[in-house]
Amino acid sequence: QSALTQPPSASGSPGQSVTISCTGTSSDVGGYNYVSWYQQHPGKAPKLMIYEVSKRPSGVPDRFSGSKSGNTASLTVSGLQAEDEADYYCSSYAGSNNKVVFGGGTRLTVL
Amino acid sequence: EVQLVESGGDLVKPGGSLRLSCAASGFTFSNAWMSWVRQTPGKGLEWVGRVKSKTDGETTEYAVPVKGRFTVSRDDSKNTVYLHMNSLKTEDTAVYYCTIHGDFGRFGSWGQGTLVTVSS
């Protein structure tokens, strides 16, 4: 059982928007603005897409955006493209000596 | 360009030990905090442990499932971080990734991973 809760799957058609949720507690997601999101294609290492809730690393398209309300963070992918089909994982700083917790992952399917 | 190259993954029996290595290049390794993250087959990611830079005390921290069995260490002269794994259990079977532990748990760079299989 993962520390953060994500839906196992999400889907959308090309051009549409999809939002993936990530629910934690006041000890992680709700307590800090340090939520990250990772994209992982099959057989590849995870790639950082969002950090500190809503910031994008250089090179990540602005179609990817993040937000947070209370104990739940969200990743929105707008203008879905075929290459966005992947697994997405959230993570959060959990205080207490810089520990980190992950969600169980969401498989995004582009229909 | 940042590069992280893990090695050392193998098939090991329950109760056995293994040491993973991660060779780093393309950044100032001695200033970096380093973490190990694992991914069980077909499942999600799990943070395993972290070592701070020598400047920050080279202290370590571990996830509960591995605390007391795993040790993260570093050799700045070799730009290498290690994961020493003892008393291995079948549930430790996973791909182990080396990552740069950025501010507040941001993992911006990952290696390609190395597979550890614990089975009799």
Side-chain angles (χ1 to χ4, degrees):
Chain A
Q1 185 177 358
S2 301
L4 306 179
T5 301
Q6 296 181 235
S9 63
S11 63
S13 299
Q16 286 187 332
S17 293
V18 170
T19 297
I20 299 170
S21 63
C22 169
T23 301
T25 69
S26 58
S27 296
D28 37 65
V29 174
Y32 309 94
N33 288 324
Y34 299 122
V35 175
S36 299
W37 289 91
Y38 301 86
Q39 176 191 66
Q40 186 179 36
H41 287 109
K44 300 292 187 181
K47 175 187 176 184
L48 180 67
M49 304 299 283
I50 296 286
Y51 66 99
E52 292 179 18
V53 176
S54 60
K55 297 180 180 178
R56 280 186 310 276
S58 170
V60 173
D62 60 7
R63 301 185 295 102
F64 291 85
S65 62
S67 62
K68 192 189 87 166
S69 177
N71 294 337
T72 297
S74 299
L75 172 72
T76 298
V77 185
S78 305
L80 270 175
Q81 298 182 5
E83 59 262 35
D84 299 333
E85 186 162 292
D87 293 328
Y88 291 85
Y89 294 90
C90 63
S91 74
S92 175
Y93 176 78
S96 181
N97 294 317
N98 307 105
K99 292 185 178 178
V100 177
V101 291
F102 281 93
T106 298
R107 176 149 295 176
L108 175 59
T109 302
V110 181
L111 302 170
Chain B
E1 179 195 2
V2 171
Q3 278 204 311
L4 299 168
V5 181
E6 301 96 335
S7 61
D10 205 348
L11 170 64
V12 61
K13 288 181 167 48
S17 299
L18 200 61
R19 187 187 80 167
L20 306 182
S21 302
C22 171
S25 61
F27 63 101
T28 306
F29 179 78
S30 59
N31 291 345
W33 294 15
M34 301 297 295
S35 267
W36 288 90
V37 175
R38 68 184 180 184
Q39 184 166 33
T40 51
K43 295 195 177 179
L45 300 168
E46 180 182 31
W47 174 77
V48 172
R50 172 227 79 215
V51 61
K52 291 184 178 180
S53 63
K54 185 161 288 187
T55 302
D56 291 324
E58 209 168 328
T59 54
T60 55
E61 192 62 48
Y62 302 95
V64 168
V66 307
K67 195 167 186 177
R69 299 188 298 123
F70 290 13
T71 302
V72 181
S73 65
R74 63 191 299 153
D75 184 339
D76 289 350
S77 69
K78 296 181 178 178
N79 281 5
T80 300
V81 61
Y82 303 98
L83 180 64
H84 307 261
M85 302 183 292
N86 296 321
S87 304
L88 281 161
K89 306 175 180 180
T90 55
E91 52 263 41
D92 295 321
T93 294
V95 173
Y96 285 74
Y97 293 99
C98 164
T99 72
I100 300 175
H101 190 120
D103 293 341
F104 300 105
R106 175 177 76 194
F107 302 125
S109 297
W110 298 66
Q112 85 289 350
T114 187
L115 177 62
V116 173
T117 303
V118 184
S119 174
S120 54

